[in-house]
Amino acid sequence: MKLRPNLFAVLVLLAFALPAAAQGVTVRGDDRSRAAEVVREVLARGRYLRIDRDTILPATFSAPGDLVIYDADVRLEGSVAGSVAVVGGHFYLRPGARVGGDIAVIDGGFYPSAKAWYGAVLESNPSTVVVRGDSAARAGDSARVATIVGPPLPRSFRPLFLTPTYDRVNGITAAGGAQFRFSPDPGSGLVSAFVAYRHKQDDHLGGQLRLEYPLRIQSLRLEAELSRQTRTNDAWHHGDIVNTATAAVIGRDYRDYYDADRASVFVTRPVGKPIIAGESWLGPRVGVQVERARSLETEPDLPSLLGKGLTRENPPVLEGTIVSGIVGATLRWRGQTVQLEGFAQVEQGFGDETFTQALAWADFYTLTFRQQSVHIYARTMLPIASDAPPQRFGNLGGPGTLPTTAISAFRGDHLVYVGSEYLIPLSPKLEIPYLGQPSIELVHSSGAAWTGSAPAFVQNVGGGVRFFLARAGIVVNPAADDLDPAIYWTFSLPRF
């Protein structure tokens, strides 16, 4: 009888692997992650095939039980009826491959094809280390031993150093503090505090005292805060690092500010990061907040490196105390090639400042053809029945939102914005030192912010070049009589 080459390869592999499986794998250590528990369950069942050298399992390969990959690179084209335990190795699923159970990875990697079928993927903490070695119990014994060294327990006390910021109302703000955890248990309560020095403010000192305490009910926790800080509603389009860089270098501050003392108490459920296709996390939050606000003026004579300084007026807010109740939730979901994150919140003001304002945003990302990708971000902020105070306004305009308009050209308690990007990565051979691999980006944005009656929405379309941390391009307003192109360039921190 003449065996086909791929069937012969499987038989040779089984001839070597079955005796190895009989001699087994031992996992030691106190890691209690779900990935480690699944590995222990696979070993306890004892119905596994062990592979401890690099190999390819062809389409004709079929394992009736579990598979243990020990310190090896394995590519599966066939099928495994049970679960797969990867201990210090790398597991690749080729198109058409099937795994009937879970895939647990400890100190290794898992690389699936979009055309493969498999169950849940469980990974240990990135700080977990597996120390691998051979048992020396007796001569000739080739049983494999792995000791799992879990991540170190968090320190009960550690210092906090916050990144300095630069803006047109504070100049330089520097902050530092400390964090205290009630016990070494990562899920225990903690207290954090920091003090900020704001160079150009009359009231130089700010800071925050924050308590997080687990309630041991449905993963809920109590979060309480006392703080005096400079606040903005515009960090969604220019975060602290990006806005600091543009303000200090080119003299552009894209955000509006106000100062506020705040006390709040919330019950929340932390939102985790989905790691397998189809997994979702929902994090509700409900609480009460008391805020006393005051206006801030633009400080004169604040310099920038390349620009003419920071001179744009900072709008005033309604000074006084606002007591409000807040209900909201964050959702994260992940598919095979899709990621979605969203947030919705309603704030109800009481007492002298009675208002209701809804806020919602969604961030959508998906891969398309040949590692090209689509990214869509949508945001809306709307008052209900009555106007919201100015400290609940947002702004649009300038690079990062609508480049054909001036910075903060739109402002109000109503805000609607949608921005989309299509990224086409170029060849890795074009990688530029310090910037990385370039991508062509096609962009579209549309939106407006207002009080009272809604204005005409502005649209921008165009394209440019994006790197990991920077982007530049040209856009136009297609509705304008004169298609006057606007050049945009800015730092860009990816959301995913």
Side-chain angles (χ1 to χ4, degrees):
M1 181 176 66
K2 187 175 181 180
L3 295 175
R4 290 179 296 175
N6 53 2
L7 179 57
F8 177 75
V10 173
L11 293 177
V12 171
L13 174 66
L14 291 175
F16 284 96
L18 288 176
Q23 293 164 340
V25 174
T26 301
V27 173
R28 301 169 179 167
D30 57 358
D31 187 334
R32 294 303 171 188
S33 66
R34 181 57 185 153
E37 292 300 322
V38 169
V39 171
R40 292 187 178 95
E41 291 170 5
V42 168
L43 300 180
R45 284 196 293 267
R47 296 181 287 103
Y48 63 85
L49 172 68
R50 190 191 84 203
I51 299 178
D52 53 15
R53 59 179 174 275
D54 299 349
T55 189
I56 297 176
L57 304 177
T60 53
F61 173 84
S62 178
D66 301 319
L67 180 67
V68 174
I69 298 172
Y70 184 94
D71 200 16
D73 291 350
V74 175
R75 289 168 170 79
L76 175 66
E77 298 175 353
S79 63
V80 175
S83 298
V84 177
V86 183
V87 182
H90 295 86
F91 184 40
Y92 301 82
L93 279 188
R94 305 294 292 273
R98 292 177 178 268
V99 176
D102 298 336
I103 298 172
V105 183
I106 302 177
D107 193 25
F110 172 59
Y111 312 95
S113 164
K115 296 182 179 180
W117 289 265
Y118 52 95
V121 179
L122 307 168
E123 297 181 325
S124 60
N125 189 293
S127 300
T128 295
V129 176
V130 174
V131 180
R132 298 174 290 280
D134 291 342
S135 173
R138 64 178 186 273
D141 185 357
S142 62
R144 299 299 190 240
V145 178
T147 301
I148 304 174
V149 181
L153 293 175
R155 290 178 293 173
S156 296
F157 176 86
R158 67 184 183 95
L160 296 175
F161 299 100
L162 282 69
T163 304
T165 60
Y166 187 73
D167 58 66
R168 70 184 190 281
V169 297
N170 293 313
I172 297 175
T173 298
Q179 181 183 86
F180 175 78
R181 190 176 294 274
F182 295 166
S183 77
D185 179 2
S188 68
L190 61 88
V191 174
S192 58
F194 70 83
V195 175
Y197 179 80
R198 304 173 293 187
H199 177 57
K200 287 294 185 176
Q201 274 206 44
D202 294 335
D203 187 358
H204 293 296
L205 293 181
Q208 175 181 281
L209 176 64
R210 181 179 178 85
L211 167 69
E212 299 180 23
Y213 191 80
L215 299 178
R216 310 297 183 185
I217 303 173
Q218 297 292 319
S219 301
L220 297 176
R221 68 181 180 187
L222 180 72
E223 297 181 354
E225 175 187 317
L226 289 172
S227 63
R228 169 171 290 181
Q229 290 180 264
T230 301
R231 306 181 192 274
T232 180
N233 298 319
D234 308 312
W236 64 274
H237 58 70
H238 284 83
D240 288 345
I241 296 176
V242 172
N243 198 77
T244 294
T246 56
V249 176
I250 62 175
R252 292 182 178 179
D253 190 333
Y254 296 91
R255 313 190 303 191
D256 295 333
Y257 304 93
Y258 70 100
D259 198 49
D261 299 331
R262 180 178 291 177
S264 64
V265 178
F266 281 88
V267 175
T268 70
R269 179 186 295 147
V271 182
K273 183 177 181 180
I275 61 173
I276 62 174
E279 185 178 15
S280 63
W281 289 78
L282 179 66
R285 66 192 302 261
V286 57
V288 178
Q289 176 178 285
V290 180
E291 180 183 89
R292 185 175 61 191
R294 66 183 182 90
S295 301
L296 295 173
E297 295 183 357
T298 298
E299 292 295 327
D301 304 324
L302 283 175
S304 63
L305 184 63
L306 302 178
K308 298 180 180 180
L310 299 166
T311 58
R312 184 169 69 87
E313 180 184 355
N314 190 59
V317 298
L318 182 64
E319 300 194 359
T321 301
I322 294 177
V323 180
S324 58
I326 299 175
V327 177
T330 301
L331 171 68
R332 289 178 180 168
W333 179 83
R334 178 171 183 165
Q336 290 283 4
T337 59
V338 176
Q339 297 182 61
L340 174 66
E341 183 174 358
F343 175 78
Q345 171 183 288
V346 175
E347 180 180 7
Q348 174 65 57
F350 302 104
D352 294 336
E353 297 300 328
T354 301
F355 68 96
T356 305
Q357 187 179 41
L359 168 67
W361 57 262
D363 212 340
F364 174 83
Y365 172 88
T366 183
L367 291 174
T368 58
F369 178 70
R370 292 182 178 273
Q371 298 302 307
Q372 298 173 18
S373 62
V374 174
H375 180 205
I376 302 174
Y377 180 83
R379 188 179 186 91
T380 182
M381 185 170 64
L382 299 171
I384 301 173
S386 60
D387 295 338
Q391 48 265 57
R392 297 297 183 266
F393 286 13
N395 74 40
L396 291 175
T401 54
L402 302 169
T404 62
T405 64
I407 297 174
S408 195
F410 298 95
R411 181 186 292 117
D413 54 356
H414 301 69
L415 185 147
V416 177
Y417 174 81
V418 178
S420 59
E421 306 159 358
Y422 191 93
L423 294 182
I424 306 172
L426 300 179
S427 171
K429 296 180 181 180
L430 297 176
E431 184 167 343
I432 299 176
Y434 305 108
L435 292 177
Q437 179 184 352
S439 297
I440 300 297
E441 69 171 2
L442 306 177
V443 299
H444 172 265
S445 59
S446 178
W450 69 94
T451 57
S453 301
F457 279 41
V458 171
Q459 291 193 70
N460 284 183
V461 295
V465 180
R466 176 191 286 266
F467 296 91
F468 181 68
L469 295 177
R471 58 190 300 205
I474 298 176
V475 295
V476 298
N477 181 355
D481 295 333
D482 183 10
L483 295 181
D484 187 16
I487 298 175
Y488 68 88
W489 65 273
T490 185
F491 301 99
S492 175
L493 297 180
R495 294 187 177 92
F496 289 102

